[in-house]
Structures are given as structure tokens and as C-alpha cells.
Amino acid sequence: MDVRQSYQVNLEFFQGPLDLLLFLIKKQKIDIHDIPIATITKEYLEYLHQKDRINLDREAEFLLMAALLIYIKSQMLLPEEKPELEEDPRQRLVDRLLDFQKIKALSFLLGEKEEEELKKWKRIYIPSTHPDEEEELEDISLFDLAEAFFLLMKRKEKEDVHLIRGKEYTVEEKMREIISLLEDKGYLDFFEYFYNHTSLQESFVSFFALLELIKARIVLAVQETLFQSIKVWLQKKPRTSFIR
Amino acid sequence: MKNRLKELIESLIFVSSEPLTLEKIKGVLEEFSETEIEQAIQDLLESYTSNERGIQITLSAGGYLFSTRPEFDAYIRRLLQTEKRSRLSRAALETLSAIAYNQPITLAEISAIRGVDSTHTLKVLLQKKLVKIVGRKKSPGKPLIYRTTDRFLTHFGLNNIKDLPSQEEISKIMEEETPVEE
């Protein structure tokens, strides 16, 4: 279906309010730098009226844009006090639209590249990130981990601790951060990682995140020798597979 | 071994688990000079450009990598009994574009560019390992900041982040009237 010809395009089709606005501008062959706000607002609202099936979150984003359009129109109607100092009320919206237009063009080009790339099959062997000298390493128990943690906490206690409320770390977020770090560096030095923490709270959350990851068998924690730092690795089984 | 340097490098690329970089090749082949190695790679790539091969060596995410030729996709899928591999959604592509051209970037900044809340899409991209967390921004709330990964480059067949579509290519698309896909 050629959407440019049919007027009845479902709101679901658009990625967001900017997308819809851009579509309307194109359709009306309007100069993006000189948007007739009244016309475009009317058109825009007509689309919103056929909102039968969009969900509330999306609707809010579309409504926000409608409010912005009406606000801009009202700004333009007001007599200007210092005309030479005021920028065109539409300017910020135009900038956003242009930026978005660029991103849209880009994602179109990336999509083309992707399509071509998906036709190529790559032979990629995903190796074990686990070190070869595995046998010499001791698999550590939860107890060892906890002990190491308390050791670290002791050291941290000596530092000046100032409590700042309101800074929230979530375990889920920390888990993702740890995984990201592991993917980047291959392994993580448990001690080193904790030194970089700024607060007690962050250390606690990280520790819980680490435990969760071990429990879910996403990472593996090993200690080279007793009392040494504990190293954390991503747990992956060696396998040959095709990836994109 | 000197006269078989080309084949030697070919075997190294074959066994590599990830795109094999020039530095790595040089590191392994320490008894050969850099020019010898570079010349051998050049020869190797040339021997693959002829249409007599079903596989090719591509430069991807900074390294050399074996891949099949795109025209045989349908038959390979028949062998592997897999469907056509699914493409990323429009939302995902848009989000990736916003990140790729503005990195490092926060979630709030991504959402502002797209005019849509991008929490969910970003989560999907993180899971697919196309983007990664690189730290926190030193601004109120210390939001996480994101970058694209090497896998992102490989996914789109790019060698380097600089290989992203240029300003000219973008302008061309924009002039052609922004495509309204599907």
C-alpha cells in the first residue's frame, strides 16, 4: 500500500509524533523552515482522532506534540515586544524535525546495509572466555566471596563516608553494567571493581548483582590462590555457531 | 614458509574466533616484516575477489573475517533449515542511528532525538549486544551512557565507525523525499 496516496494511515504506522509531523509536512509539500502551524496542527489533530487502537503511553507522546503545536501557534499570535530579540517560536521544533529527519534517513540506509549483511553467513567460533589454565584455579564458594566482600568493606569503612540520599542503584542495572564490563574486557577483577565505587550503597548493590549473576550461571568467579583477588568471567560454553 | 605467507595468513583468519586484526597477525608472525605481511594480505584478498569462490574475506569491525557470498543465502538457509534472518525493527534502527551518530549518549538524549520513549528499544539493543554501557555521565542523576559495539559494526558490515553513511549519502536520501517504508 502506498501510504503517500492513502489518507487513512493508521497512527500505529508512525514511530512517534515527529515521524507523523514529518509525514504531514512531506504530504502537504510544506517548506520545513516555514511551517504553517495552524494548518499542520489541524491535520495532526485529525490523525489523533482516529486513535482507536494506540496505547496510552504512545498517545501521551502524540498529545504532547499537539500541545506544543498549539503553544507555538499562541506564541506566534502574541504581539512581540522586542521583535528583533525573539527567535521564531517554531525554530526549536524545526531543529528537532531536521535532526529526526537525518536519523530517519540514516536508519533507512542502515536497514539496507543490514539486509545485505544478513545474506552473508559468517563462520564465527565463540571461544570459551574461561582461561585454559582452568584446573589451577579454585572455584570459589559463596563464603569466599562474602569474606572478600567484608574485607573490602572494612577498608572502605576507613574512608570518609558521606551519605547522600536519593541516589538509587538497582541490582538489575548493576548486573547489566557488570555484564557490559565483562564483554568489553573479558574479565573483571573483583577487588579493583570495588575500589572504584563511590558509595557503600553502590558496593552493596554490586555485590548482590554479582551473586545474582553467579546464581544465574552467567558469570564464573575464580580465585587464583587463597587471599588473592577474585576474578570474574563470563560463562560461555565453547561452541561453533553462526551469528549474524 | 616465506613463499607461503599468503596461505599461512589465510589459515589464521580461518581459525579466528573474531575478526582478525592486522596487529594480531603481525604479532603472531613476528619473523616476517610488516611489508611482507601487508603484501601477502593484499594478495590473499585479491585471490578471493574473483568470482570463483563461494566464500570471501571481508574487513569487518577492524579485522578480517570469512563469510559466504550473499547470493547463496537462500541455499545456505535450505541447508541449515532456517528462515530468513529477521531484520531489526524500525524503532531499533532509529535508536541505533541516534546512538551511532551521537555517542556517547544517554537514554534521555536518545528519547529526545526520536521524540519517543526509547527505554524498551534500548533494552532490546543491549540484549542483542549492539550497544553497551560505557559509564555514567557526570551530570545530575548520573545517567548511564551508551555506545555502539563491535558487533554493531559486524551486523551492518562496517569496518569502522567512520564507515557509517556520510553526510552526503544522508542528504541524498533526504532529498529523494524521505522514504516512507513498507
Side-chain angles (χ1 to χ4, degrees):
Chain A
M1 175 180 78
D2 189 352
V3 285
R4 274 161 286 196
Q5 279 163 16
S6 72
Y7 187 75
Q8 291 296 317
V9 178
N10 197 313
L11 215 46
E12 279 294 330
F13 173 81
F14 298 101
Q15 285 297 309
L18 290 172
D19 203 15
L20 171 56
L21 216 52
L22 216 52
F23 168 77
L24 294 174
I25 290 167
K26 282 262 140 70
K27 192 167 76 98
Q28 303 276 319
K29 297 196 172 58
I30 289 170
D31 175 11
I32 198 164
H33 296 282
D34 187 21
I35 305 170
I37 294 289
T39 323
I40 212 81
T41 307
K42 188 169 156 278
E43 285 262 325
Y44 185 91
L45 290 175
E46 266 170 42
Y47 266 86
L48 284 206
H49 283 312
Q50 28 143 327
K51 65 180 159 67
D52 33 321
R53 267 198 286 155
I54 66 169
N55 69 48
L56 212 60
D57 280 348
R58 296 203 65 199
E59 201 174 319
E61 281 160 354
F62 281 98
L63 285 176
L64 192 66
M65 178 57 76
L68 180 66
L69 286 171
I70 293 165
Y71 173 74
I72 292 173
K73 185 67 205 169
S74 70
Q75 288 286 93
M76 291 172 76
L77 289 173
L78 287 174
E80 296 169 59
E81 284 171 20
K82 292 170 258 167
E84 68 280 8
L85 289 178
E86 297 282 324
E87 69 164 358
D88 191 325
R90 296 174 295 183
Q91 194 53 49
R92 281 187 62 187
L93 180 61
V94 171
D95 288 346
R96 279 182 69 192
L97 279 171
L98 287 173
D99 274 352
F100 179 72
Q101 198 179 20
K102 207 188 278 177
I103 291 300
K104 221 185 140 187
L106 250 167
S107 62
F108 176 76
L109 288 170
L110 279 184
E112 283 185 333
K113 280 189 182 297
E114 181 189 34
E115 182 152 35
E116 187 62 18
E117 211 50 34
L118 285 181
K119 290 183 192 152
K120 299 179 191 165
W121 294 79
K122 289 152 196 165
R123 193 197 148 278
I124 289 182
Y125 167 69
I126 299 170
S128 162
T129 35
H130 199 55
D132 282 333
E133 58 274 31
E134 180 176 347
E135 301 78 39
E136 294 162 30
L137 300 167
E138 288 181 45
D139 228 332
I140 51 158
S141 67
L142 179 64
F143 185 74
D144 296 323
L145 262 180
E147 199 169 26
F149 180 67
F150 288 127
L151 200 81
L152 285 165
M153 283 296 99
K154 271 241 160 63
R155 290 188 208 169
K156 274 226 178 287
E157 264 174 28
K158 288 179 199 143
E159 295 164 16
D160 245 354
V161 178
H162 26 231
L163 210 73
I164 300 162
R165 296 213 175 271
K167 183 88 188 89
E168 293 285 345
Y169 295 92
T170 69
V171 173
E172 199 198 347
E173 208 178 271
K174 269 287 165 202
M175 280 165 72
R176 242 182 270 139
E177 202 181 304
I178 292 175
I179 292 176
S180 278
L181 277 168
L182 285 175
E183 269 159 6
D184 222 33
K185 297 207 301 190
Y187 76 96
L188 196 75
D189 190 302
F190 187 68
F191 279 27
E192 217 179 89
Y193 183 61
F194 275 85
Y195 284 142
N196 294 329
H197 283 161
T198 46
S199 72
L200 209 61
Q201 191 200 9
E202 190 180 2
S203 303
F204 274 122
V205 175
S206 303
F207 185 65
F208 286 133
L210 187 65
L211 291 181
E212 282 291 332
L213 288 171
I214 293 171
K215 192 177 140 209
R217 297 189 183 280
I218 295 169
V219 304
L220 207 66
V222 284
Q223 193 173 27
E224 272 164 33
T225 42
L226 222 52
F227 307 119
Q228 282 245 321
S229 179
I230 290 163
K231 287 195 169 135
V232 183
W233 311 79
L234 270 188
Q235 191 160 20
K236 271 189 203 159
K237 295 203 173 60
R239 66 198 163 99
T240 306
S241 77
F242 290 94
I243 68 150
R244 284 169 201 166
Chain B
M1 224 18 118
K2 204 159 200 160
N3 52 351
R4 306 199 60 201
L5 189 53
K6 188 178 85 174
E7 293 92 306
L8 169 56
I9 294 171
E10 185 180 26
S11 69
L12 295 183
I13 299 172
F14 180 75
V15 296
S16 279
S17 55
E18 50 194 24
L20 187 63
T21 60
L22 183 58
E23 288 69 49
K24 224 166 185 174
I25 297 175
K26 284 177 182 167
V28 171
L29 304 178
E30 49 190 7
E31 56 268 65
F32 298 95
S33 79
E34 296 203 351
T35 34
E36 277 174 334
I37 292 172
E38 277 159 29
Q39 185 55 49
I41 290 177
Q42 211 51 49
D43 294 346
L44 178 63
L45 292 182
E46 263 162 39
S47 69
Y48 270 94
T49 46
S50 72
N51 264 333
E52 288 165 31
R53 304 246 181 200
I55 48 175
Q56 56 188 1
I57 298 177
T58 45
L59 199 50
S60 177
Y64 298 96
L65 181 80
F66 272 112
S67 85
T68 64
R69 290 191 176 274
E71 54 266 40
F72 304 133
D73 176 50
Y75 301 94
I76 292 168
R77 279 190 284 110
R78 226 184 265 172
L79 172 72
L80 300 174
Q81 298 186 343
T82 50
E83 294 291 307
K84 208 165 182 170
R85 290 184 288 177
S86 53
R87 302 178 55 180
L88 292 168
S89 67
R90 274 178 63 200
L93 284 174
E94 240 181 66
T95 307
L96 270 177
S97 305
I99 298 171
Y101 277 79
N102 298 285
Q103 53 189 331
I105 187 171
T106 67
L107 171 62
E109 286 161 348
I110 298 167
S111 300
I113 292 172
R114 297 185 59 221
V116 198
D117 175 52
S118 306
T119 315
H120 175 70
T121 319
L122 188 62
K123 211 173 256 180
V124 172
L125 293 176
L126 277 170
Q127 270 165 8
K128 288 187 186 289
K129 294 178 184 134
L130 294 169
V131 297
K132 62 182 174 189
I133 297 168
V134 288
R136 286 174 185 280
K137 196 175 181 179
K138 288 188 181 63
S139 68
K142 278 194 176 180
L144 292 168
I145 43 180
Y146 302 88
R147 269 186 186 284
T148 54
T149 59
D150 277 353
R151 181 173 284 191
F152 161 80
L153 294 176
T154 324
H155 187 85
F156 293 99
L158 303 168
N159 178 37
N160 190 297
I161 197 76
K162 292 184 194 113
D163 292 347
L164 282 170
S166 65
Q167 196 61 50
E168 293 83 64
E169 283 177 84
I170 297 165
S171 312
K172 213 176 126 206
I173 286 280
M174 278 160 76
E175 276 161 30
E176 279 170 14
E177 175 173 7
T178 315
V180 184
E181 310 93 338
E182 276 110 80

